[in-house]
Amino acid sequence: MRNRLGLLVETYSYASFEDRIKANHWFLEEVVDYVVKNGDKVRQAVATADGESIVGRELAVRQRLVKGPALVQAVFAQTVTERNP
């Protein structure tokens, strides 16, 4: 809403508290690493956003839910944890 970058970190609620903290830490570590490597692009994106107004524009938060044509099966599989591969 303010033409700023935002970040929402979500972790699985069924993971242990310790695992959620670790996942959050690793995710944020990767985000900071990305920003360090791509600082010019990030600054340019913020500068471009600062020059634009959102007044009267349709925002993503104004979507409506629709029912899909068919059910989709969620598949759960084993995973391997590897820090900073």
Side-chain angles (χ1 to χ4, degrees), residues 66-74:
V66 295
K67 186 175 182 178
L71 292 177
V72 177
Q73 182 179 4

Side-chain angles (χ1 to χ4, degrees), residues 3 10 13 15 20 27 59 75-76 79 83:
N3 283 351
E10 295 183 350
S13 60
R20 287 181 284 166
F27 180 79
L59 303 175
V75 179
F76 296 94
T79 60
R83 184 166 192 247

Side-chain angles (χ1 to χ4, degrees), residues 46-83:
V46 171
T48 299
D50 280 343
E52 297 176 357
S53 173
I54 62 170
V55 174
R57 293 178 65 185
E58 188 171 326
L59 303 175
V61 294
R62 294 184 181 155
Q63 295 180 356
R64 65 182 176 89
L65 297 175
V66 295
K67 186 175 182 178
L71 292 177
V72 177
Q73 182 179 4
V75 179
F76 296 94
Q78 292 290 79
T79 60
V80 175
T81 300
E82 184 176 346
R83 184 166 192 247

Side-chain angles (χ1 to χ4, degrees), residues 13-34:
S13 60
Y14 55 80
S16 70
F17 180 73
E18 181 180 358
D19 287 344
R20 287 181 284 166
I21 296 299
K22 287 178 182 178
N24 195 328
H25 176 85
W26 295 334
F27 180 79
L28 293 174
E29 188 176 69
E30 290 300 318
V31 169
V32 170
D33 186 53
Y34 176 86

